[in-house]
Amino acid sequence: MSDMNQTIIDAFHFRHATKQFDASKTISNEDFETILEAGRLSPSSLGLEPWKFVVVQSKTLRDKLKPYSWGAQKQLDSASHFMLIFARKNVTSQSPYVQNLVKNVKGYEESTIPAVYKKYDDFQTEFHINDNERTLYDWACKQTYIALGNMMTSAALLGIDSCPIEGFDVDTVTQILSDEGILDTENFGISVMAAFGYRAGEPPHGKVRQTQDDVVKWIN
């Protein structure tokens, strides 16, 4: 196995869902910028980037979230950086967000834009993404997990621990973030949380997974 291959596999063995971080240790700005860039540069379906990464360093806000985030009790108190990942709602060719992305970010030629929109519409229809607002939102949430995975892997390669968190009261957390002016509920919903920092102790056991034979099938 090459050095690079071994480095990648070692990072995956290192990574675990860290519940208790060492609150005395802080991730450097350079390292966390790298983690954020891994998220920003992640692939997304149709390249539509339907996400927002909100880093919560405010102890006041963390304390407000804690009673309604049962899966983040220890992480909210001890993580160096705590992230909320929002998923964008109603991402279609008709949305101002997509139209701005196509024209001003991706810079498509004006003459090609109708064909781009048609490609988006056809894909979303054939894949049952735009059946309704819920299917559109669920599709956007799937994209956020691609970015989350890349951020956690990048953190592991830097020797930084992480924990993905779905254990929270979505409705109450949404209300808190809306009241605080952090979450624009017309355009976004909260998809998942994530904590980053340095473990307070070693995990109780090594990585336990099914074998490749259990989860991989080759068709030649």
Side-chain angles (χ1 to χ4, degrees):
M1 184 178 288
S2 72
D3 289 345
M4 179 60 74
N5 289 343
Q6 189 62 57
T7 296
I8 292 169
I9 296 302
D10 287 347
F12 276 92
H13 278 288
F14 167 84
R15 193 218 62 79
H16 72 286
T18 303
K19 303 297 188 291
Q20 181 73 52
F21 294 92
D22 184 341
S24 69
K25 294 182 178 179
T26 302
I27 300 170
S28 71
N29 290 337
E30 180 182 19
D31 281 351
F32 202 72
E33 279 298 315
T34 298
I35 292 168
L36 288 174
E37 278 294 272
R40 186 182 73 87
L41 295 171
S42 291
S44 59
S45 185
L46 298 173
L48 292 177
E49 307 169 45
W51 48 51
K52 181 171 284 189
F53 312 123
V54 179
V55 185
V56 179
Q57 300 303 81
S58 163
K59 185 179 186 307
T60 301
L61 181 55
R62 289 194 190 190
D63 287 345
K64 286 183 180 180
L65 295 174
K66 187 176 177 182
Y68 310 101
S69 306
W70 52 266
Q73 292 297 290
K74 294 179 179 179
Q75 296 94 327
L76 279 164
D77 286 338
S78 62
S80 169
H81 290 66
F82 195 87
M83 184 184 294
L84 310 174
I85 303 183
F86 297 167
R88 189 175 283 274
K89 298 178 179 179
N90 298 316
V91 178
T92 71
S93 64
Q94 287 77 47
S95 69
Y97 168 75
V98 170
Q99 293 181 4
N100 175 69
L101 197 70
V102 166
K103 295 175 184 177
N104 301 320
V105 179
K106 296 183 179 295
Y108 283 103
E109 293 288 337
E110 193 70 32
S111 62
T112 68
I113 289 177
V116 171
Y117 289 162
K118 184 177 187 306
K119 182 181 80 170
Y120 291 175
D121 293 341
D122 289 348
F123 170 75
Q124 289 189 328
T125 297
E126 291 169 4
F127 214 66
H128 294 285
I129 291 166
N130 60 5
D131 286 355
N132 52 61
E133 290 186 1
R134 182 70 215 189
T135 54
L136 276 166
Y137 179 65
D138 287 346
W139 166 77
C141 286
K142 289 180 182 179
Q143 310 313 306
T144 70
Y145 279 72
I146 299 172
L148 172 61
N150 285 337
M151 286 190 281
M152 291 193 300
T153 298
S154 299
L157 286 163
L158 293 168
I160 294 168
D161 292 291
S162 62
C163 186
I165 299 160
E166 293 179 320
F168 56 92
D169 180 332
V170 173
D171 293 337
T172 305
V173 167
T174 296
Q175 189 64 56
I176 291 170
L177 296 173
S178 176
D179 291 344
E180 293 286 329
I182 295 166
L183 176 59
D184 168 13
T185 56
E186 183 177 348
N187 292 301
F188 288 97
I190 180 166
S191 173
V192 66
M193 299 174 172
F196 296 88
Y198 296 95
R199 64 188 68 180
E202 292 304 312
H205 51 73
K207 190 75 69 177
V208 178
R209 292 290 188 274
Q210 298 179 74
T211 66
Q212 273 206 29
D213 287 343
D214 290 327
V215 298
V216 177
K217 181 176 181 178
W218 288 74
I219 300 175
N220 296 315

